[in-house]
Amino acid sequence: RSPSRGLGDVYKRQIKGGSITLTDGDVNVFQNLQRITFCFWSFLRVIDHQYNTIFYQSGILHFFIDKNNMSFIVVLGGQIMTWDLTSFVDIWKHYTVVIDYSETDPLQKVLLFINGVSQGTASKSGTDNTDVAYPATTDKLYIGSHDGTQIGFDGYIDDVRI
């Protein structure tokens, strides 16, 4: 039984000890979008491994929590955005990641909200992402794993909406 987040037992989809894979037919609907939003609930357990992947699509995006540095990281192409986190283990939190490909300021291209509160400007490294829309791809989008087989997230991911 998963930890309660105060909303009863109504869940859209819960990932526990596994992952969901969206194939090219599923991800084709994202192509050419100028703005895309990822929303999900997360309950990260006391973790043994450093990186906990939430979303991964090869060469396009990677969202993960870095336990050792207590940070939420979004990799968008070659651009790496990092936000500091506090108290993210053993508690339900709602995350919203907004990617606005039309935004020309690299620091405003990716926005993070936790429990409805903006996390402000991220620190940035890597190469600026210059895509103007979600790239066309046939690569799978993994939720809760890096490649569908590796343990990528130690906890629960619930009510995923894209």
Side-chain angles (χ1 to χ4, degrees):
R1 182 160 170 91
S2 69
S4 172
R5 65 166 193 247
L7 298 177
D9 291 328
V10 180
Y11 297 111
K12 293 267 185 197
R13 178 73 166 111
Q14 186 177 82
I15 299 169
K16 175 185 168 191
S19 65
I20 293 175
T21 303
L22 302 181
T23 60
D24 59 348
D26 299 318
V27 298
N28 283 341
V29 298
F30 305 149
Q31 291 180 20
N32 301 317
L33 290 178
Q34 287 193 317
R35 189 170 189 180
I36 188 166
T37 302
F38 295 81
C39 300
F40 58 95
W41 285 91
S42 167
F43 183 97
L44 189 63
R45 296 187 290 199
V46 176
I47 45 184
D48 296 325
H49 52 282
Q50 179 174 355
Y51 302 114
N52 284 268
T53 295
I54 302 160
F55 290 95
Y56 176 80
Q57 190 171 28
S58 181
I60 296 175
L61 59 84
H62 187 188
F63 304 170
F64 62 96
I65 293 175
D66 179 343
K67 175 193 101 169
N68 292 355
N69 295 308
M70 293 186 63
S71 55
F72 188 93
I73 299 172
V74 173
V75 180
L76 192 62
Q79 181 173 316
I80 303 167
M81 310 294 285
T82 305
W83 292 266
D84 293 332
L85 292 178
T86 58
S87 66
F88 61 92
V89 175
D90 288 334
I91 187 170
W92 279 106
K93 290 202 174 203
H94 186 265
Y95 294 84
T96 301
V97 178
V98 178
I99 302 172
D100 187 347
Y101 287 98
S102 66
E103 179 60 59
T104 57
D105 179 353
L107 291 175
Q108 298 300 315
K109 187 167 256 188
V110 181
L111 304 175
L112 173 66
F113 299 85
I114 300 177
N115 294 334
V117 177
S118 172
Q119 299 304 294
T121 304
S123 60
K124 185 189 83 59
S125 61
T127 306
D128 287 349
N129 184 294
T130 57
D131 291 335
V132 294
Y134 197 92
T137 183
T138 57
D139 289 331
K140 297 173 182 174
L141 173 64
Y142 297 98
I143 304 171
S145 172
H146 189 271
D147 68 358
T149 60
Q150 297 177 352
I151 296 174
F153 192 84
D154 186 13
Y156 303 93
I157 299 173
D158 194 7
D159 198 15
V160 174
R161 296 169 189 244
I162 303 172

